[in-house]
Amino acid sequence: MKRKSDDSVSPPGSPETRGYKRRKQEKDGSPSRGNPKGKDVDDGGADDDGDDDEAGAMAEDDYTAQLSWQSQSKENLHVLMQNFTPEQHDRYDQYRRSAINKNTVRKFINHTLGTNPSMNVAQVVAGFSKVFVGEMVERARAIQALKGDTGPLAPDHLREAYRKYLQETGAVGAARPLRGKKLFAR
């Protein structure tokens, strides 16, 4: 397994380790899968126009661009976390540790839509749900502060936050039953 720059380990067969093995074979001249003895093979006079080299270079450029973007994201997060107050840091840790049960989300989607979703769909819906819950809690905390209340959030703070959310956005979700309304009326 290959070590990444952040000391995490890439699983075998991942794109990072496959590219590493290919580059190592090119450097060492060691055998590849198609040529077990590592000898040069005449391909019958086929053009060697360097397409493989260009594709490899593009893949390397994409890989380095992705690595630089990831390192920049990590640096930005590190700077942000250094400026957190202890209360914000605790809330961030709790947010990172919390998760919505994907099996429960799958059951909910199945009950609502009548179709059994894949785990990927359940994971996406759980992610959006987590963001929505975070927004509601943030709005409820603001309402709690406006009212001058202290302590844990009360149900009326959450109801008021949801009411304001509906007032600002119009509705939750795009698919509401029309109940007799015509879509294209003249």
Side-chain angles (χ1 to χ4, degrees):
M1 288 195 244
K2 179 184 171 192
R3 288 229 176 250
K4 293 182 186 176
S5 61
D6 63 347
D7 291 335
S8 62
V9 178
S10 298
S14 68
E16 295 93 353
T17 56
R18 283 194 307 260
Y20 173 76
K21 288 177 183 176
R22 181 183 49 80
R23 287 189 299 273
K24 184 176 181 212
Q25 288 172 352
E26 289 172 359
K27 277 185 185 177
D28 298 344
S30 57
S32 62
R33 285 186 183 159
N35 186 3
K37 296 190 178 182
K39 296 179 181 176
D40 290 335
V41 176
D42 185 14
D43 59 357
D47 298 4
D48 192 18
D49 54 355
D51 287 341
D52 291 337
D53 293 338
E54 289 176 20
M58 284 179 29
E60 297 250 347
D61 290 342
D62 291 344
Y63 180 70
T64 54
Q66 185 179 10
L67 282 180
S68 67
W69 181 81
Q70 287 175 348
S71 65
Q72 182 66 34
S73 297
K74 285 181 183 180
E75 289 173 16
N76 291 345
L77 182 63
H78 184 69
V79 169
L80 178 68
M81 290 185 69
Q82 283 179 338
N83 294 320
F84 275 173
T85 64
E87 180 183 331
Q88 288 173 326
H89 202 290
D90 288 342
R91 280 202 321 229
Y92 177 75
D93 286 342
Q94 290 171 359
Y95 172 78
R96 290 284 298 201
R97 280 188 251 129
S98 66
I100 295 176
N101 189 344
K102 289 164 192 58
N103 287 327
T104 305
V105 171
R106 282 185 76 184
K107 288 177 186 175
F108 179 75
I109 294 171
N110 190 6
H111 178 71
T112 305
L113 301 178
T115 180
N116 198 11
S118 67
M119 282 306 283
N120 292 339
V121 171
Q123 187 171 6
V124 168
V125 171
F128 281 118
S129 302
K130 183 176 175 179
V131 170
F132 178 74
V133 168
E135 286 180 10
M136 288 297 105
V137 169
E138 188 176 327
R139 288 173 186 264
R141 287 204 175 275
I143 290 168
Q144 181 185 31
L146 284 175
K147 289 184 175 182
D149 296 341
T150 58
L153 289 175
D156 61 328
H157 298 139
L158 292 167
R159 279 193 287 273
E160 182 66 17
Y162 184 68
R163 188 189 66 76
K164 285 190 175 186
Y165 177 80
L166 288 178
Q167 189 177 21
E168 289 176 12
T169 60
V172 176
R176 289 196 159 247
L178 297 175
R179 301 208 199 284
K181 294 181 183 176
K182 293 183 181 179
L183 288 176
F184 304 106
R186 289 185 184 201

